[in-house]
Amino acid sequence: MRRKTFLREIILALVVGILFATARAGNLFNSLRLRSTDFLHGDVSSGNEIIIVAIDDASVDQYGAWPWSHDIHARLIGKLDQARVIGIDILFDEVGDPVFLDALGESDNVVLAQIGVLSERSAPGIITPQAILTPPTEFIRSAKSTGFVNALPDSDSITRRIPLIIQGKDQVEAAMGLEMLRCCLYQSSALPVMTKYGFINIGPVQIPVDPWGRMTINYVGEPGTFPVFSYVDVLSGAIHPDTFKNKIVFIGQMNLAGGGDLHDVPVSRGKTKMAGVEIQANIIHTILYQRFLVEQSLVTNIAIILLMSVLGGWILMQLRFLWGIPLILVIEGVYLLYAFFTFDRGILPDILFPSLSLGISYVVAIAVDNVTLFRNLRKKHTELIETYDTTLEGWALALDLRDHETQGHTLRVTELTVLLAEEMGIKGEELTYIRRGAILHDIGKIGVPDEILRKASKLTEKEMIIMSQHPTFGWQMLSQINFLKSALPIVYHHHEKWDGTGYPLGLKGNNIPLAARIFAVIDVWDALINERPYRVALSEEEALAIISKDVGTHFDPIVVAAFLKIYRQGNLVLREQVP
């Protein structure tokens, strides 16, 4: 029997594993899978090779609204003449001051931005843009080179990958970071080409890319990690030119109050977005320091998923539920350590599917193995609720015994209140709540002194004030008990009146809970037709006259109409004989 059960659990676990392996192979839940690895990006040193010159609020305050005169940019290029390469993440769309063209030609290390209008493609291959927006021809001739600066975010709008090359009209076009390295650092004259093995070769470096020529960016840290200097500070001479000697310098919008060129990235974690120019810095940092990320192979992922699934089923069989959970958590922790280990070595592991397959196979095995237990628990739950309700009736009986004048009152009004509620269309769980509220309606009288509660004559005004606090006492007693909170509408509001003259809150009309409005009619009816120490019982006709007279003042007219209907039909009778 045990062997049969073991095989059943393992087969179920394998089924779960196969389902997850199929989902992984089909790239289902791709957005969740990608997000599950975002936290692996940790803060690492950005080095001192890359510097950003930011077009920020201070610069806009100094030079006015964008676009600026080209001679301003020409002066900045002059300040950066000791940089190894300058990437300007700005699309110039018109010819301006010849001074700027001269500055571009003299520096011989400036790469200008161009923008490819990109769209997703399903078939593998280099992405062909719908169009490429380029600077004026004069700028292209004067600059060292151009590179495109835009990327396609993933389906969840997070920029994780960048196409390093796209297909231009006559030749491939390189991303700005790649082009800056090619023409100015590696000084390669060969255009980058994607090999059939999934690499783009640039100088001495082989860059791993996916079938669309996209490289996964290995972000160094949260936005603001790279050294940043304000455009206006550099141009004013506040930053010494030697700061940029032999550095890779990017120029672009950053830290603008209006937002600017901002993107969601893995390291922003839903908080501060990253400026496009800083993404360019991360791209070149990934290539320069060869911090490449390659997705773990599909075969390895599927093997891990199946292993995790079998482990989930095996753990349940060997250790059962309580002891299995700590081991599941330990295995998940070990797998996370494996994920960090492989990530540090340039392999992007799959965290979502292996983790889910381990946990869900374990949960499925538990669910199948414990159907009988669930049924038993449901039976015990029903018995427990019945025990609770019996206990409540015991409380009510104890209160009736303490208050001799109302013996049997609680059980009578409970029965009749349920009858009236059913007449008004209340069913199911709400009817159970009303029954409990009726049973406990006077529970607050526990807080009323015996000399007042058991007084045979009419209460004085002062005593009446104390007695009228019993709904509040009841609310204070029950509001902290979750199981009994459903009884509060009747307990707290059964002395409210339709015209707002009741207590404790003076609620009016439909602001009084319906359950309390229903109970109020039954409570008064029972009080009128039963004898009290200070008066004889009234006849049913006399009681009906009083209730009818108080319609619209004490009672809800609709509730009284329902009450009169069941009375005239002869249905206002107790199902069980109550003293």
Side-chain angles (χ1 to χ4, degrees), residues 375-568:
R375 290 174 178 171
N376 290 339
L377 286 175
R378 186 168 57 182
K379 181 181 177 181
K380 293 295 183 183
H381 175 74
T382 301
E383 292 174 353
L384 184 61
I385 294 298
E386 291 174 354
T387 301
Y388 283 161
D389 287 340
T390 303
T391 302
L392 299 185
E393 292 177 3
W395 286 4
L397 178 61
L399 188 61
D400 280 357
L401 291 174
R402 181 173 177 237
D403 185 2
H404 295 301
E405 71 175 70
T406 61
Q407 283 190 15
H409 167 72
T410 297
L411 296 184
R412 289 195 303 271
V413 295
T414 299
E415 185 78 10
L416 295 179
T417 300
V418 170
L419 283 172
L420 182 53
E422 288 175 334
E423 174 64 28
M424 297 194 68
I426 297 174
K427 301 176 182 178
E429 199 172 49
E430 286 297 319
L431 207 59
T432 301
Y433 296 159
I434 286 177
R435 182 178 182 279
R436 290 173 186 161
I439 290 173
L440 296 171
H441 74 280
D442 274 342
I443 194 69
K445 286 184 178 179
I446 291 175
V448 177
D450 281 350
E451 58 268 21
I452 296 176
L453 185 66
R454 307 179 71 171
K455 185 176 180 180
S457 59
K458 191 172 182 178
L459 298 180
T460 66
E461 183 176 349
K462 183 177 180 181
E463 290 170 335
M464 191 62 201
I465 291 173
I466 296 173
M467 177 65 81
S468 65
Q469 292 177 348
H470 78 270
T472 303
F473 295 155
W475 181 86
Q476 291 171 345
M477 291 173 60
L478 302 185
S479 62
Q480 303 303 314
I481 305 173
N482 286 332
F483 175 74
L484 298 178
K485 283 183 178 179
S486 59
L488 287 177
I490 290 179
V491 173
Y492 196 34
H493 299 295
H494 68 280
H495 283 296
E496 303 285 1
K497 293 185 179 181
W498 183 255
D499 62 1
T501 60
Y503 63 87
L505 299 182
L507 298 182
K508 185 177 182 180
N510 289 326
N511 289 328
I512 305 170
L514 177 60
R517 285 180 268 147
I518 292 172
F519 180 81
V521 175
I522 297 299
D523 192 33
V524 171
W525 166 259
D526 186 79
L528 292 174
I529 64 173
N530 286 282
E531 186 174 345
R532 295 296 171 87
Y534 48 86
R535 63 159 175 78
V536 298
L538 302 181
S539 68
E540 291 186 353
E541 291 73 16
E542 291 172 319
L544 286 174
I546 292 173
I547 289 175
S548 298
K549 178 177 67 70
D550 286 344
V551 169
T553 54
H554 190 160
F555 305 117
D556 179 347
I558 295 176
V559 174
V560 172
F563 172 80
L564 294 175
K565 178 181 176 181
I566 61 175
Y567 176 81
R568 288 163 185 159

Side-chain angles (χ1 to χ4, degrees), residues 69-286:
S69 171
H70 288 176
D71 69 300
I72 297 175
H73 301 305
R75 288 161 49 202
L76 181 68
I77 291 173
K79 293 286 186 180
L80 302 174
D81 60 350
Q82 297 186 65
R84 294 176 70 185
V85 60
I86 302 169
I88 303 181
D89 187 9
I90 302 165
L91 179 63
F92 295 100
D93 55 3
E94 60 180 16
V95 178
D97 196 322
V99 174
F100 183 54
L101 295 176
D102 292 341
L104 291 176
E106 291 173 4
S107 64
D108 196 36
N109 66 347
V110 177
V111 177
L112 297 180
Q114 57 184 6
I115 296 177
V117 182
L118 307 179
S119 60
E120 291 283 1
R121 58 175 293 169
S122 56
I126 298 174
I127 296 172
T128 300
Q130 300 174 16
I132 298 179
L133 309 178
T134 63
T137 304
E138 292 85 348
F139 283 17
I140 296 175
R141 289 172 181 168
S142 300
K144 183 69 173 180
S145 188
T146 59
F148 65 89
V149 294
N150 54 315
L152 283 172
D154 289 322
S155 57
D156 57 358
S157 301
I158 294 179
T159 302
R160 298 182 180 88
R161 297 170 289 189
I162 175 90
L164 290 183
I165 55 176
I166 58 176
Q167 185 61 55
K169 184 177 181 182
D170 301 315
Q171 62 182 27
V172 295
E173 301 289 344
M176 173 176 277
L178 184 66
E179 188 63 13
M180 290 168 68
L181 291 174
R182 183 191 72 82
C183 67
C184 297
L185 270 73
Y186 301 140
Q187 297 181 349
S188 171
S189 59
L191 293 174
V193 177
M194 186 168 71
T195 70
K196 63 180 180 180
Y197 301 108
F199 291 94
I200 290 177
N201 297 325
I202 178 74
V205 181
Q206 279 193 325
I207 306 170
V209 292
D210 67 10
W212 293 268
R214 298 176 300 187
M215 179 192 76
T216 300
I217 306 170
N218 196 345
Y219 288 91
V220 299
E222 296 183 359
T225 301
F226 291 96
V228 179
F229 299 103
S230 174
Y231 194 109
V232 66
D233 289 341
V234 176
L235 201 54
S236 67
I239 309 299
H240 197 279
D242 286 348
T243 304
F244 306 99
K245 187 174 182 179
N246 294 323
K247 305 298 183 185
I248 299 170
V249 179
F250 282 97
I251 303 171
Q253 295 181 4
M254 192 172 175
N255 302 328
L256 286 171
D261 180 26
L262 297 176
H263 306 267
D264 285 313
V265 294
V267 290
S268 63
R269 299 181 175 93
K271 298 177 183 178
T272 306
K273 295 187 177 184
M274 183 173 284
V277 66
E278 197 169 3
I279 294 177
Q280 297 299 322
N282 275 283
I283 293 168
I284 207 168
H285 188 278
T286 300

